[in-house]
Amino acid sequence: MEQIRKADLPPRADDDAPAAPVLRAPQTQTQMIDSLLDEIDEVLEDSAEAFVRGFVQKGGQ
Amino acid sequence: MTGQDGIVTRLGAQNSVEAPTRRAGDRLGAFLSALRPQEPTSEAPAGATPEPATPGDRGASAGVVGLETEYGITADGLSADEAAREMFAPVVAWGRSTSVFTPAGARLYLDLGAHPEYATAECSTLAELVAQDRAGDALVAELGRAVDRRRAAAGRPPAQIAVFKNNSDSVGHSFGAHENYQVTREGAAALAAALIPFLVTRQLVAGAGHIEVDQRGARYVLSARAGHVSETMSSASTRARPIINTRDEPHADGQKYRRLHVIVGDSNMSQMATRWKFGATSLVIAAAARGARLPRMELANPVRAISQVSRGWREPSPLELVDGRTARPASIQRAYLEVALEAAETAEDAAVIGLWRKALDAWDLGDFDGLETQLDWLAKLRLIERYQERSGAALEDARVARLALAYHQLGPQGLRGRLEASGMLTRAVSPWDVARAVLEPPPTTRARLRGRFVARARAAGREYSVDWMRLRLGDAPAVTVADPLDSFNAAAEQLIAGLKPASGRRARAVETKAELDKIMDRAADAVLAEGV
């Protein structure tokens, strides 16, 4: 009979509810993201629809 | 890929009796030194310094690995087919084919569906792999930029080709990033089966993030490829997409080795994610090769599970196992992490284990702070959510789709160079490593021979042909280098040494650099100057 290791066992039911992911970015990060978004805002506002629709290609593998 | 596609492989280092066995103390020492904070190298470029990967750490920690990336393209007023043909005109002029091996030992080609594709040379360290992969990005981006230079010279309007390293066009056609690991033939099928739960849940760390749109609306999912998987293992690659492709092309001694061809992975922009993906997968394979027992967590339905993980990440639910138990995706990853520890030896391995732990802790605690500089799905999500907050745009808004594309766009229009320069994405290798990898092969594998052979045969003005295993000059019998780790093969060295620089009329012919040679130089320059 093979020994069953702890890693093989499923977590107990009470371990089974991890907190919902917290994804709010910290303030300093938001500032960096904002300055990046400022740089590309025009590109996004301007021609996004046509650009996105134009990107159609056959599938690869 | 067709018959001659990208190389592969991973060697279980311990399969050879000659393989040095390191003492446990050495392993611990390597670990501790890797965990210690390190001084940035004096060479480090402006912006974020690469994560320490200990210079001189040349252990063949990754086995033999390679990555084939299919790129997406779009252009102004041209179909993708036309754009691809224009991009590859200098390639055809250079090698009389749309498929060539570069002086870096890599393969550059035009694949199904007009996708430019770059298969890295065989690599035996993670640093080599990351640098080669990024070199491919730089080269394909430069092929796109060169089109408008030629058009301008000919007085034609610009095509403004945009190149994306992602996995889907705007209507959901999928294309891939195919990983290759050399494994021993004996036990390869069992190994592949035992890896499935790992590969299904690996997206927790390596997923690139994706906006999935269907009749029910748009949602952000962890993996761009997960939604296209319809089989666990098969020889298909287009009509259906398996997790592992079983085509048997070892590109090595077929009696001993197989190439494990993993086609379920996303194209990663983050170097850290790329390094982790190959490092973690290699460690699990190496542990199995040493006789470690992989977790017995066979999934009841891997195809359903991979979608469940990708789509249900905000409230992860347990996956059903065949034996009736259930396991959370992060618990499955943790079980493989425990096994991987048994094979971890180098500083690169330690960095991989460190990110693995940190990411799984984040999934357990629901707090991902600090991981946004490493994980693509999180870095991209933060950009998207902030943009939505600022603009009020819904997830299905074209502006959000454009932003997601910008994350994956190569060249100066893409966001990655800016994200890395500001430290919002962490580098795993320096721009110098990448620039070198555009022009030179990795020194630790037979790609070293292939790359030098290609460069020298061209400088000599001689006819040549190469594939992953063979070097051939004119009509002479080919020299075969069967072992991917054979970087100093006597017959190949002799062949290369016999190639003298051209003289006379031939010299004048080779002195004029072909356009593709200039494009390679420019790609290396762009990496250094623009960080793209």
Side-chain angles (χ1 to χ4, degrees):
Chain A
M1 189 78 189
E2 280 180 303
Q3 202 186 350
I4 294 172
R5 300 190 314 174
K6 190 163 169 276
D8 294 341
L9 296 171
R12 292 200 318 276
D14 46 336
D15 294 343
D16 219 3
V22 176
L23 293 163
R24 187 161 297 282
Q27 186 61 33
T28 48
Q29 204 192 31
T30 303
Q31 284 165 10
M32 290 170 87
I33 291 175
D34 275 343
S35 71
L36 184 74
L37 290 175
D38 290 342
E39 277 183 51
I40 60 163
D41 232 2
E42 234 170 87
V43 175
L44 300 183
E45 293 292 334
D46 215 28
S47 53
E49 182 83 48
F51 185 90
V52 169
R53 207 182 302 151
F55 178 31
V56 176
Q57 203 169 359
K58 289 181 201 113
Q61 301 196 47
Chain B
M1 249 93 312
T2 50
Q4 9 164 9
D5 70 324
I7 215 55
V8 189
T9 14
R10 127 132 245 145
L11 281 177
Q14 300 303 310
N15 289 325
S16 149
V17 282
E18 289 89 13
T21 324
R22 296 193 215 178
R23 285 174 298 117
D26 294 343
R27 278 171 60 176
L28 184 62
F31 252 90
L32 293 176
S33 68
L35 295 172
R36 233 171 268 138
Q38 301 194 0
E39 294 295 316
T41 58
S42 54
E43 286 198 319
T49 49
E51 182 92 337
T54 314
D57 179 9
R58 282 274 166 226
S61 63
V64 183
V65 295
L67 173 59
E68 308 153 23
T69 301
E70 293 176 330
Y71 297 91
I73 51 173
T74 184
D76 210 11
L78 292 181
S79 71
D81 280 315
E82 292 165 329
R85 218 170 309 136
E86 280 206 41
M87 283 174 76
F88 272 70
V91 178
V92 173
W94 192 84
R96 293 192 301 254
S97 165
T98 54
S99 169
V100 300
F101 282 89
T102 75
R107 184 169 169 232
L108 172 67
Y109 50 120
L110 199 50
D111 202 29
L112 298 176
H115 291 278
E117 180 155 347
Y118 191 84
T120 70
E122 308 88 324
C123 299
S124 79
T125 71
L126 299 176
E128 287 173 356
L129 188 279
V130 173
Q132 274 264 327
D133 173 50
R134 187 59 173 270
D137 293 356
L139 182 52
V140 174
E142 201 57 42
L143 282 178
R145 294 166 93 178
V147 167
D148 280 354
R149 271 197 289 273
R150 289 197 298 278
R151 284 176 156 249
R156 298 168 64 205
Q160 295 184 340
I161 292 175
V163 182
F164 305 103
K165 188 189 199 181
N166 69 349
N167 301 105
S168 178
D169 71 4
S170 294
V171 293
H173 295 133
S174 186
F175 38 97
H178 302 167
E179 299 149 65
N180 298 298
Y181 303 87
Q182 180 164 294
V183 299
T184 50
R185 179 162 294 270
E186 198 189 329
L191 171 68
L195 284 173
I196 295 295
F198 167 74
L199 295 173
V200 163
T201 51
R202 196 178 61 157
Q203 55 181 304
L204 295 181
V205 188
H210 178 61
I211 301 171
E212 191 179 69
V213 185
D214 58 25
Q215 299 89 328
R216 285 168 297 163
R219 72 199 70 87
Y220 192 80
V221 299
L222 281 187
S223 163
R225 287 286 275 183
H228 294 276
V229 170
S230 55
E231 295 174 351
T232 303
M233 275 187 264
S234 80
S235 59
S237 65
T238 50
R239 104 189 124 65
R241 289 194 180 80
I243 293 169
I244 291 174
N245 176 288
T246 54
R247 186 176 4 150
D248 193 0
E249 288 167 6
H251 297 313
D253 179 349
Q255 302 284 313
K256 287 191 204 155
Y257 299 112
R258 277 199 73 145
R259 174 170 59 122
L260 183 74
H261 197 43
V262 175
I263 70 169
V264 74
D266 290 351
S267 289
N268 288 111
M269 299 304 288
S270 160
Q271 294 185 354
M272 300 304 285
T274 301
R275 183 172 80 176
W276 179 83
K277 179 170 68 181
F278 274 89
T281 309
S282 292
L283 282 172
V284 172
I285 292 170
R290 293 171 183 204
R293 196 161 66 83
L294 296 188
R296 293 202 171 166
M297 303 184 108
E298 194 184 337
L299 295 164
N301 187 335
V303 172
R304 197 169 60 208
I306 201 166
S307 277
Q308 189 182 331
V309 176
S310 180
R311 296 188 175 129
W313 65 273
R314 285 184 198 266
E315 287 169 54
S317 55
L319 304 176
E320 285 173 32
L321 308 186
V322 278
D323 58 12
R325 296 179 300 163
T326 61
R328 290 190 303 116
S331 303
I332 294 176
Q333 277 296 306
R334 211 175 282 277
Y336 281 91
L337 165 59
E338 292 295 325
V339 174
L341 278 173
E342 297 179 28
E345 287 185 339
T346 67
E348 282 188 331
D349 297 338
V352 166
I353 297 285
L355 177 55
W356 203 343
R357 279 219 175 100
K358 204 172 157 194
L360 295 183
D361 288 349
W363 279 105
D364 284 345
L365 300 170
D367 179 0
F368 288 83
D369 247 18
L371 284 165
E372 64 284 334
T373 58
Q374 324 273 307
L375 310 186
D376 277 318
W377 69 264
L378 184 58
K380 190 162 72 182
L381 179 68
R382 290 243 163 114
L383 289 174
I384 287 172
E385 292 197 329
R386 182 60 184 159
Y387 181 72
Q388 290 187 273
E389 238 174 84
R390 282 164 46 128
S391 65
L395 195 56
E396 43 272 85
D397 194 294
R399 291 169 293 172
V400 177
R402 178 70 188 90
L403 173 61
L405 283 176
Y407 186 84
H408 291 274
Q409 190 169 350
L410 304 182
Q413 284 91 37
L415 299 183
R416 181 169 60 181
R418 284 177 261 202
L419 289 167
E420 287 179 344
S422 64
M424 293 165 81
L425 278 180
T426 308
R427 293 184 178 110
V429 296
S430 77
W432 284 276
D433 294 325
V434 177
R436 192 183 303 119
V438 173
L439 304 168
E440 292 176 17
T444 64
T445 68
R446 68 182 170 199
R448 172 182 168 272
L449 303 167
R450 183 185 313 117
R452 285 166 64 234
F453 177 73
V454 167
R456 294 279 287 272
R458 297 188 73 86
R462 299 285 301 272
E463 293 285 321
Y464 69 94
S465 62
V466 295
D467 62 21
W468 292 110
M469 286 176 59
R470 277 167 290 269
L471 314 175
R472 187 170 187 212
L473 202 54
D475 297 329
V479 170
T480 299
V481 186
D483 179 358
L485 287 175
D486 193 0
S487 57
F488 284 91
N489 176 281
E493 294 288 359
Q494 201 176 4
L495 181 68
I496 295 164
L499 288 164
K500 303 299 179 207
S503 56
R505 193 165 55 84
R506 243 188 207 161
R508 282 190 296 280
V510 299
E511 264 166 23
T512 323
K513 273 203 168 185
E515 192 192 350
L516 185 62
D517 292 310
K518 292 181 198 158
I519 287 173
M520 289 182 211
D521 289 343
R522 276 202 208 97
D525 290 345
V527 169
L528 296 176
E530 301 164 1
V532 294

